[in-house]
Amino acid sequence: MKRLQENKNLTLVYGNQYQGMPIYNSPDGLVREYLDRTFNVINCALNDYANVYAFRVDISFPSNWVVYEDQVAIYIDGFVRAFRNRINSNNTEIKYPTVLRYIGTREYTKEGRIHYHFMFFVNKNSYHTLGEFNILRRNLYTRLVTAYARSLTIEPGEAMGYVHIPSNAGMVIKRGCLEGVGNAIYRASYLCKAYSKQYGNRKHSFLGSRG
């Protein structure tokens, strides 16, 4: 198996399948270690919940900010922590609580600007949609945006411009449904592509919840 030239600890996977599941077919390959982490996160979610709601989110930074690697890591750690805290706080008010699980990747534009792609996983009995894109609502979208606003210490209304929800962002994964699990893995595997990442700078290009 071919190793990534920029980081010999990482190996590349080519083609449209991995461990019998469909994956994004990137000409530059996907990073096997990132795929394994992705499979583990999805499996942990499905072990806990028969139905999982998964959704994609893209995170960027204000264009007039000059952000450095160390700062970015602090912002993103703060975002995930704040989002988890909001989920945990709401768990006390709903019938079916959930653990927040995720994968995320740091990527770079051709101009060198940093952005992140995330895929989050929650109990579908807790949340089955992001809800209306209105921060006055008490829904999953508002918890997401206010968590990022807190991390960047900006107003939630401003943070809405840096939290992008792709079209068809949400999906339900049913335990035991191979087609549904395969669709989720295919969408998540896009985050595992080797292209548009930087390596060798001692910074983690890929994030994933544990357990």
Side-chain angles (χ1 to χ4, degrees):
M1 193 171 291
K2 184 178 179 180
R3 294 194 176 274
L4 187 68
Q5 185 175 357
E6 298 89 341
N7 185 338
K8 300 300 184 182
N9 293 318
L10 301 176
T11 50
L12 295 172
V13 172
Y14 295 91
N16 58 12
Q17 281 204 336
Y18 181 69
Q19 295 186 6
M21 288 292 180
I23 58 173
Y24 177 72
N25 190 357
S26 171
D28 297 298
L30 305 184
V31 178
R32 186 185 69 174
E33 289 74 14
Y34 300 168
L35 282 170
D36 289 341
R37 190 83 173 268
T38 297
F39 274 60
N40 181 66
V41 169
I42 293 175
N43 286 336
C44 284
L46 289 171
N47 283 340
D48 280 354
Y49 313 117
N51 296 288
V52 170
Y53 178 62
F55 57 96
R56 281 268 290 103
V57 179
D58 298 329
I59 297 292
S60 60
F61 297 91
S63 59
N64 60 338
W65 284 25
V66 177
V67 290
Y68 299 98
E69 297 281 353
D70 291 342
Q71 291 176 307
V72 165
I74 293 171
Y75 288 141
I76 293 301
D77 286 348
F79 160 59
V80 172
R81 183 169 56 252
F83 190 30
R84 182 185 290 117
N85 288 342
R86 282 158 172 74
I87 295 296
N88 290 342
S89 177
N90 194 54
N91 278 341
T92 64
E93 302 178 17
I94 56 180
K95 183 176 181 180
Y96 299 102
T98 186
V99 171
L100 178 69
R101 293 184 171 91
Y102 65 91
I103 59 170
T105 184
R106 186 184 70 235
E107 298 191 350
Y108 297 78
T109 65
K110 291 180 180 179
E111 296 74 28
R113 292 199 62 83
I114 301 171
H115 60 280
Y116 278 76
H117 301 296
F118 277 94
M119 193 163 183
F120 291 99
F121 307 86
V122 293
N123 182 358
K124 179 181 175 288
N125 287 337
S126 307
Y127 305 95
H128 64 278
T129 178
L130 280 163
E132 183 180 349
F133 294 177
N134 180 344
I135 56 173
L136 298 179
R137 302 288 187 181
R138 295 185 72 245
N139 58 21
L140 194 55
Y141 174 78
T142 297
R143 293 181 177 93
L144 184 72
V145 170
T146 57
Y148 195 48
R150 178 179 177 82
S151 177
L152 266 58
T153 62
I154 61 177
E155 292 298 320
E158 183 182 356
M160 290 176 69
Y162 310 117
V163 178
H164 174 66
I165 310 298
S167 59
N168 301 315
M171 65 181 303
V172 175
I173 317 169
K174 295 181 181 294
R175 182 193 297 159
C177 176
L178 290 180
E179 181 180 0
V181 174
N183 287 339
I185 287 175
Y186 178 83
R187 294 190 64 180
S189 70
Y190 177 80
L191 278 64
C192 304
K193 67 184 190 297
Y195 177 74
S196 72
K197 296 178 175 64
Q198 290 186 5
Y199 305 91
N201 54 6
R202 296 188 179 184
K203 303 295 189 301
H204 296 294
S205 292
F206 194 84
L207 313 170
S209 54
R210 300 183 182 278

